[in-house]
PDB file of all heavy atoms in Angstrom:
ATOM      1  N   GLY B  17       0.789  -1.210  -0.070  1.00  0.00           N
ATOM      2  CA  GLY B  17      -0.007  -0.062   0.016  1.00  0.00           C
ATOM      3  C   GLY B  17       0.879   1.273  -0.027  1.00  0.00           C
ATOM      4  O   GLY B  17       2.047   1.183  -0.123  1.00  0.00           O
ATOM      5  N   SER B  18       0.141   2.334   0.208  1.00  0.00           N
ATOM      6  CA  SER B  18       0.810   3.706   0.081  1.00  0.00           C
ATOM      7  C   SER B  18       0.291   4.591   1.209  1.00  0.00           C
ATOM      8  O   SER B  18      -0.732   4.497   1.745  1.00  0.00           O
ATOM      9  CB  SER B  18       0.461   4.372  -1.300  1.00  0.00           C
ATOM     10  OG  SER B  18       0.978   3.633  -2.355  1.00  0.00           O
ATOM     11  N   LEU B  19       1.251   5.560   1.496  1.00  0.00           N
ATOM     12  CA  LEU B  19       0.835   6.650   2.428  1.00  0.00           C
ATOM     13  C   LEU B  19       1.540   7.908   1.936  1.00  0.00           C
ATOM     14  O   LEU B  19       2.508   7.949   1.121  1.00  0.00           O
ATOM     15  CB  LEU B  19       1.333   6.343   3.857  1.00  0.00           C
ATOM     16  CG  LEU B  19       0.606   5.342   4.681  1.00  0.00           C
ATOM     17  CD1 LEU B  19       1.422   5.036   5.977  1.00  0.00           C
ATOM     18  CD2 LEU B  19      -0.720   5.792   5.008  1.00  0.00           C
ATOM     19  N   ARG B  20       1.029   9.074   2.366  1.00  0.00           N
ATOM     20  CA  ARG B  20       1.669  10.332   2.079  1.00  0.00           C
ATOM     21  C   ARG B  20       1.826  10.997   3.427  1.00  0.00           C
ATOM     22  O   ARG B  20       0.833  11.367   4.140  1.00  0.00           O
ATOM     23  CB  ARG B  20       0.832  11.270   1.145  1.00  0.00           C
ATOM     24  CG  ARG B  20       1.562  12.458   0.778  1.00  0.00           C
ATOM     25  CD  ARG B  20       0.855  13.392  -0.137  1.00  0.00           C
ATOM     26  NE  ARG B  20      -0.218  14.157   0.605  1.00  0.00           N
ATOM     27  CZ  ARG B  20      -0.832  15.177   0.092  1.00  0.00           C
ATOM     28  NH1 ARG B  20      -0.616  15.638  -1.060  1.00  0.00           N
ATOM     29  NH2 ARG B  20      -1.818  15.814   0.861  1.00  0.00           N
ATOM     30  N   LEU B  21       3.067  11.302   3.808  1.00  0.00           N
ATOM     31  CA  LEU B  21       3.387  12.076   4.983  1.00  0.00           C
ATOM     32  C   LEU B  21       3.574  13.496   4.655  1.00  0.00           C
ATOM     33  O   LEU B  21       4.019  13.883   3.572  1.00  0.00           O
ATOM     34  CB  LEU B  21       4.696  11.530   5.602  1.00  0.00           C
ATOM     35  CG  LEU B  21       4.735  10.032   5.900  1.00  0.00           C
ATOM     36  CD1 LEU B  21       6.090   9.658   6.586  1.00  0.00           C
ATOM     37  CD2 LEU B  21       3.556   9.557   6.728  1.00  0.00           C
ATOM     38  N   SER B  22       3.206  14.388   5.608  1.00  0.00           N
ATOM     39  CA  SER B  22       3.373  15.832   5.335  1.00  0.00           C
ATOM     40  C   SER B  22       4.001  16.446   6.565  1.00  0.00           C
ATOM     41  O   SER B  22       3.894  15.973   7.736  1.00  0.00           O
ATOM     42  CB  SER B  22       1.911  16.489   5.273  1.00  0.00           C
ATOM     43  OG  SER B  22       2.014  17.827   5.170  1.00  0.00           O
ATOM     44  N   CYS B  23       4.882  17.446   6.245  1.00  0.00           N
ATOM     45  CA  CYS B  23       5.634  18.216   7.261  1.00  0.00           C
ATOM     46  C   CYS B  23       5.384  19.743   7.005  1.00  0.00           C
ATOM     47  O   CYS B  23       5.839  20.204   6.015  1.00  0.00           O
ATOM     48  CB  CYS B  23       7.077  17.868   7.261  1.00  0.00           C
ATOM     49  SG  CYS B  23       8.144  18.757   8.432  1.00  0.00           S
ATOM     50  N   ALA B  24       4.800  20.388   7.931  1.00  0.00           N
ATOM     51  CA  ALA B  24       4.429  21.772   7.802  1.00  0.00           C
ATOM     52  C   ALA B  24       5.512  22.582   8.599  1.00  0.00           C
ATOM     53  O   ALA B  24       5.706  22.341   9.833  1.00  0.00           O
ATOM     54  CB  ALA B  24       3.036  22.117   8.260  1.00  0.00           C
ATOM     55  N   ALA B  25       6.132  23.537   7.882  1.00  0.00           N
ATOM     56  CA  ALA B  25       7.202  24.386   8.488  1.00  0.00           C
ATOM     57  C   ALA B  25       6.568  25.747   8.872  1.00  0.00           C
ATOM     58  O   ALA B  25       5.806  26.329   8.026  1.00  0.00           O
ATOM     59  CB  ALA B  25       8.348  24.532   7.612  1.00  0.00           C
ATOM     60  N   SER B  26       6.927  26.251  10.018  1.00  0.00           N
ATOM     61  CA  SER B  26       6.518  27.567  10.458  1.00  0.00           C
ATOM     62  C   SER B  26       7.642  28.218  11.195  1.00  0.00           C
ATOM     63  O   SER B  26       8.560  27.593  11.625  1.00  0.00           O
ATOM     64  CB  SER B  26       5.216  27.508  11.290  1.00  0.00           C
ATOM     65  OG  SER B  26       5.429  26.785  12.515  1.00  0.00           O
ATOM     66  N   GLY B  27       7.447  29.560  11.470  1.00  0.00           N
ATOM     67  CA  GLY B  27       8.474  30.323  12.132  1.00  0.00           C
ATOM     68  C   GLY B  27       9.385  30.928  11.245  1.00  0.00           C
ATOM     69  O   GLY B  27       9.092  31.203  10.007  1.00  0.00           O
ATOM     70  N   ARG B  28      10.646  31.212  11.667  1.00  0.00           N
ATOM     71  CA  ARG B  28      11.648  31.770  10.810  1.00  0.00           C
ATOM     72  C   ARG B  28      12.411  30.816   9.984  1.00  0.00           C
ATOM     73  O   ARG B  28      13.370  30.227  10.481  1.00  0.00           O
ATOM     74  CB  ARG B  28      12.657  32.577  11.761  1.00  0.00           C
ATOM     75  CG  ARG B  28      13.653  33.488  10.982  1.00  0.00           C
ATOM     76  CD  ARG B  28      14.415  34.242  11.978  1.00  0.00           C
ATOM     77  NE  ARG B  28      15.374  35.199  11.319  1.00  0.00           N
ATOM     78  CZ  ARG B  28      16.622  34.878  10.932  1.00  0.00           C
ATOM     79  NH1 ARG B  28      17.064  33.742  11.263  1.00  0.00           N
ATOM     80  NH2 ARG B  28      17.311  35.808  10.276  1.00  0.00           N
ATOM     81  N   THR B  29      11.879  30.615   8.733  1.00  0.00           N
ATOM     82  CA  THR B  29      12.413  29.615   7.892  1.00  0.00           C
ATOM     83  C   THR B  29      13.667  30.148   7.164  1.00  0.00           C
ATOM     84  O   THR B  29      13.922  31.338   7.078  1.00  0.00           O
ATOM     85  CB  THR B  29      11.389  29.228   6.801  1.00  0.00           C
ATOM     86  OG1 THR B  29      10.934  30.386   6.143  1.00  0.00           O
ATOM     87  CG2 THR B  29      10.165  28.588   7.466  1.00  0.00           C
ATOM     88  N   PHE B  30      14.520  29.213   6.712  1.00  0.00           N
ATOM     89  CA  PHE B  30      15.755  29.557   5.935  1.00  0.00           C
ATOM     90  C   PHE B  30      15.344  30.043   4.589  1.00  0.00           C
ATOM     91  O   PHE B  30      14.298  29.667   4.001  1.00  0.00           O
ATOM     92  CB  PHE B  30      16.651  28.415   5.893  1.00  0.00           C
ATOM     93  CG  PHE B  30      17.088  27.859   7.215  1.00  0.00           C
ATOM     94  CD1 PHE B  30      16.789  26.538   7.549  1.00  0.00           C
ATOM     95  CD2 PHE B  30      17.732  28.643   8.115  1.00  0.00           C
ATOM     96  CE1 PHE B  30      17.166  26.080   8.759  1.00  0.00           C
ATOM     97  CE2 PHE B  30      18.171  28.136   9.348  1.00  0.00           C
ATOM     98  CZ  PHE B  30      17.807  26.831   9.705  1.00  0.00           C
ATOM     99  N   SER B  31      16.292  30.871   4.041  1.00  0.00           N
ATOM    100  CA  SER B  31      15.979  31.373   2.682  1.00  0.00           C
ATOM    101  C   SER B  31      16.200  30.371   1.589  1.00  0.00           C
ATOM    102  O   SER B  31      15.457  30.269   0.589  1.00  0.00           O
ATOM    103  CB  SER B  31      16.873  32.589   2.405  1.00  0.00           C
ATOM    104  OG  SER B  31      18.259  32.300   2.524  1.00  0.00           O
ATOM    105  N   ASN B  32      17.145  29.495   1.777  1.00  0.00           N
ATOM    106  CA  ASN B  32      17.532  28.456   0.828  1.00  0.00           C
ATOM    107  C   ASN B  32      17.672  27.105   1.580  1.00  0.00           C
ATOM    108  O   ASN B  32      18.742  26.481   1.556  1.00  0.00           O
ATOM    109  CB  ASN B  32      18.727  28.755   0.032  1.00  0.00           C
ATOM    110  CG  ASN B  32      18.631  30.105  -0.735  1.00  0.00           C
ATOM    111  OD1 ASN B  32      19.285  31.043  -0.411  1.00  0.00           O
ATOM    112  ND2 ASN B  32      17.886  30.036  -1.854  1.00  0.00           N
ATOM    113  N   PRO B  33      16.577  26.677   2.150  1.00  0.00           N
ATOM    114  CA  PRO B  33      16.688  25.489   3.032  1.00  0.00           C
ATOM    115  C   PRO B  33      16.793  24.136   2.308  1.00  0.00           C
ATOM    116  O   PRO B  33      16.461  24.032   1.157  1.00  0.00           O
ATOM    117  CB  PRO B  33      15.459  25.490   3.856  1.00  0.00           C
ATOM    118  CG  PRO B  33      14.421  26.044   2.883  1.00  0.00           C
ATOM    119  CD  PRO B  33      15.220  27.110   2.072  1.00  0.00           C
ATOM    120  N   ALA B  34      17.320  23.198   2.970  1.00  0.00           N
ATOM    121  CA  ALA B  34      17.118  21.808   2.590  1.00  0.00           C
ATOM    122  C   ALA B  34      16.247  21.168   3.585  1.00  0.00           C
ATOM    123  O   ALA B  34      16.238  21.430   4.810  1.00  0.00           O
ATOM    124  CB  ALA B  34      18.546  21.111   2.614  1.00  0.00           C
ATOM    125  N   MET B  35      15.424  20.269   3.094  1.00  0.00           N
ATOM    126  CA  MET B  35      14.475  19.491   3.978  1.00  0.00           C
ATOM    127  C   MET B  35      14.794  18.018   3.722  1.00  0.00           C
ATOM    128  O   MET B  35      15.265  17.566   2.617  1.00  0.00           O
ATOM    129  CB  MET B  35      13.100  19.804   3.653  1.00  0.00           C
ATOM    130  CG  MET B  35      12.686  21.238   3.811  1.00  0.00           C
ATOM    131  SD  MET B  35      12.671  21.748   5.534  1.00  0.00           S
ATOM    132  CE  MET B  35      11.311  20.794   6.183  1.00  0.00           C
ATOM    133  N   GLY B  36      14.496  17.205   4.768  1.00  0.00           N
ATOM    134  CA  GLY B  36      14.734  15.843   4.690  1.00  0.00           C
ATOM    135  C   GLY B  36      13.806  15.022   5.557  1.00  0.00           C
ATOM    136  O   GLY B  36      13.091  15.518   6.342  1.00  0.00           O
ATOM    137  N   TRP B  37      13.888  13.695   5.275  1.00  0.00           N
ATOM    138  CA  TRP B  37      13.131  12.766   6.084  1.00  0.00           C
ATOM    139  C   TRP B  37      14.051  11.653   6.570  1.00  0.00           C
ATOM    140  O   TRP B  37      14.947  11.159   5.850  1.00  0.00           O
ATOM    141  CB  TRP B  37      12.009  12.108   5.201  1.00  0.00           C
ATOM    142  CG  TRP B  37      10.855  12.963   4.970  1.00  0.00           C
ATOM    143  CD1 TRP B  37      10.663  13.805   3.893  1.00  0.00           C
ATOM    144  CD2 TRP B  37       9.644  13.159   5.740  1.00  0.00           C
ATOM    145  NE1 TRP B  37       9.462  14.443   3.895  1.00  0.00           N
ATOM    146  CE2 TRP B  37       8.846  14.106   5.091  1.00  0.00           C
ATOM    147  CE3 TRP B  37       9.254  12.560   6.963  1.00  0.00           C
ATOM    148  CZ2 TRP B  37       7.623  14.447   5.582  1.00  0.00           C
ATOM    149  CZ3 TRP B  37       8.055  13.008   7.493  1.00  0.00           C
ATOM    150  CH2 TRP B  37       7.239  13.850   6.798  1.00  0.00           C
ATOM    151  N   PHE B  38      13.862  11.330   7.827  1.00  0.00           N
ATOM    152  CA  PHE B  38      14.549  10.232   8.432  1.00  0.00           C
ATOM    153  C   PHE B  38      13.559   9.254   9.064  1.00  0.00           C
ATOM    154  O   PHE B  38      12.421   9.527   9.246  1.00  0.00           O
ATOM    155  CB  PHE B  38      15.556  10.725   9.589  1.00  0.00           C
ATOM    156  CG  PHE B  38      16.742  11.376   9.069  1.00  0.00           C
ATOM    157  CD1 PHE B  38      16.659  12.669   8.604  1.00  0.00           C
ATOM    158  CD2 PHE B  38      18.019  10.829   9.137  1.00  0.00           C
ATOM    159  CE1 PHE B  38      17.831  13.356   8.175  1.00  0.00           C
ATOM    160  CE2 PHE B  38      19.175  11.414   8.732  1.00  0.00           C
ATOM    161  CZ  PHE B  38      19.068  12.774   8.217  1.00  0.00           C
ATOM    162  N   ARG B  39      14.014   8.043   9.369  1.00  0.00           N
ATOM    163  CA  ARG B  39      13.175   7.068  10.099  1.00  0.00           C
ATOM    164  C   ARG B  39      13.934   6.338  11.067  1.00  0.00           C
ATOM    165  O   ARG B  39      15.174   6.167  11.018  1.00  0.00           O
ATOM    166  CB  ARG B  39      12.471   6.114   9.066  1.00  0.00           C
ATOM    167  CG  ARG B  39      13.403   5.175   8.432  1.00  0.00           C
ATOM    168  CD  ARG B  39      12.666   4.349   7.368  1.00  0.00           C
ATOM    169  NE  ARG B  39      13.515   3.371   6.729  1.00  0.00           N
ATOM    170  CZ  ARG B  39      13.130   2.683   5.728  1.00  0.00           C
ATOM    171  NH1 ARG B  39      11.908   2.808   5.188  1.00  0.00           N
ATOM    172  NH2 ARG B  39      13.958   1.796   5.116  1.00  0.00           N
ATOM    173  N   GLN B  40      13.227   5.802  12.177  1.00  0.00           N
ATOM    174  CA  GLN B  40      13.827   5.127  13.231  1.00  0.00           C
ATOM    175  C   GLN B  40      12.904   4.054  13.639  1.00  0.00           C
ATOM    176  O   GLN B  40      11.825   4.223  14.112  1.00  0.00           O
ATOM    177  CB  GLN B  40      14.173   6.003  14.414  1.00  0.00           C
ATOM    178  CG  GLN B  40      15.060   5.401  15.411  1.00  0.00           C
ATOM    179  CD  GLN B  40      15.638   6.399  16.389  1.00  0.00           C
ATOM    180  OE1 GLN B  40      15.138   7.508  16.580  1.00  0.00           O
ATOM    181  NE2 GLN B  40      16.687   6.004  16.955  1.00  0.00           N
ATOM    182  N   ALA B  41      13.391   2.848  13.439  1.00  0.00           N
ATOM    183  CA  ALA B  41      12.618   1.570  13.887  1.00  0.00           C
ATOM    184  C   ALA B  41      13.122   1.312  15.306  1.00  0.00           C
ATOM    185  O   ALA B  41      14.195   1.674  15.739  1.00  0.00           O
ATOM    186  CB  ALA B  41      12.984   0.448  13.014  1.00  0.00           C
TER     187      ALA B  41
END
């Protein structure tokens, strides 16, 4: 199956940011 995860950023964001996803079992 499938899922879609979402991450909403707020506050003082970077001008040229990188974003990423990690996981931990």
Side-chain angles (χ1 to χ4, degrees):
S18 300
L19 287 172
R20 188 183 75 167
L21 308 183
S22 178
C23 178
S26 62
R28 190 173 182 269
T29 57
F30 302 120
S31 59
N32 302 106
M35 301 291 293
W37 288 91
F38 288 74
R39 66 186 182 186
Q40 189 165 23

